Amino acid sequence: MKTTVFDIVKYILSQTGDISAMKLQKLVYYSQAWSLVWDDKPLFDSKIEAWVGGPVVPDLYQEHKGKFTVSIDDFNGDVSNLSSDNISTIDEVLKAYSDKNAQWLSDLTHMEDPWLNARKGLSGSQRGNNEITLASMGEYYSSL
């Protein structure tokens, strides 16, 4: 069964409780990044774009648009679609990043090549929807 970004979101929120939409986006991003490194495959198919505030999954954004805080009931997803590898990866990401606030996570992504390279040619405040590719994420995070 192919997992979706919403399956990932359901699991993250089952572990964290209610969090800001921005923090959720960053935790989803890092879950995808580290899955590429540790499991050699993406967690989900939805694309990730380099927005001003950092990496954003537009499919997820459409579901939480207008909300500052999100909760597990805001999303349709099925945790039972996740493999034990998926869960281990997400758990490690949560161990590393869930105690950080949304702005800290956003600032971190702004220092990393996948976001920086996807934002090339755009000013700091200029809107853009350039994709952060799986290849750029895999390459960068596997080098850390």
Side-chain angles (χ1 to χ4, degrees):
M1 178 94 208
K2 192 75 176 144
T3 57
T4 70
V5 69
F6 300 105
D7 301 333
I8 310 308
V9 162
K10 277 289 212 193
Y11 183 75
I12 290 172
L13 291 170
S14 76
Q15 301 303 302
T16 63
D18 296 1
I19 57 176
S20 73
M22 182 171 162
K23 181 170 181 170
L24 178 62
Q25 285 280 359
K26 304 314 169 255
L27 293 174
V28 166
Y29 170 76
Y30 282 117
S31 295
Q32 181 76 304
W34 290 109
S35 176
L36 293 168
V37 175
W38 296 328
D39 305 324
D40 277 329
K41 61 182 188 257
L43 273 175
F44 56 87
D45 284 339
S46 298
K47 77 177 186 168
I48 300 173
E49 295 178 350
W51 290 17
V52 171
V56 170
V57 179
D59 292 347
L60 175 55
Y61 176 78
Q62 286 308 314
E63 293 298 311
H64 69 62
K65 185 167 54 180
K67 293 183 177 166
F68 178 78
T69 303
V70 292
S71 69
I72 197 164
D73 296 330
D74 293 333
F75 303 98
N76 291 318
D78 188 350
V79 173
S80 70
N81 291 333
L82 302 180
S83 70
S84 58
D85 283 347
N86 297 155
I87 289 171
S88 308
T89 296
I90 298 165
D91 284 344
E92 287 304 312
V93 166
L94 293 176
K95 225 183 278 178
Y97 299 106
S98 69
D99 63 334
K100 310 291 192 261
N101 69 41
Q103 190 59 55
W104 189 94
L105 292 168
S106 180
D107 291 346
L108 180 62
T109 65
H110 287 203
M111 293 183 274
E112 298 173 333
D113 286 350
W115 182 85
L116 288 167
N117 291 336
R119 295 279 306 166
K120 277 205 170 98
L122 298 172
S123 73
S125 61
Q126 189 175 356
R127 287 178 176 221
N129 62 347
N130 296 342
E131 185 171 1
I132 298 175
T133 65
L134 296 178
S136 72
M137 292 166 70
E139 189 179 315
Y140 176 77
Y141 293 102
S142 64
S143 75
L144 297 182

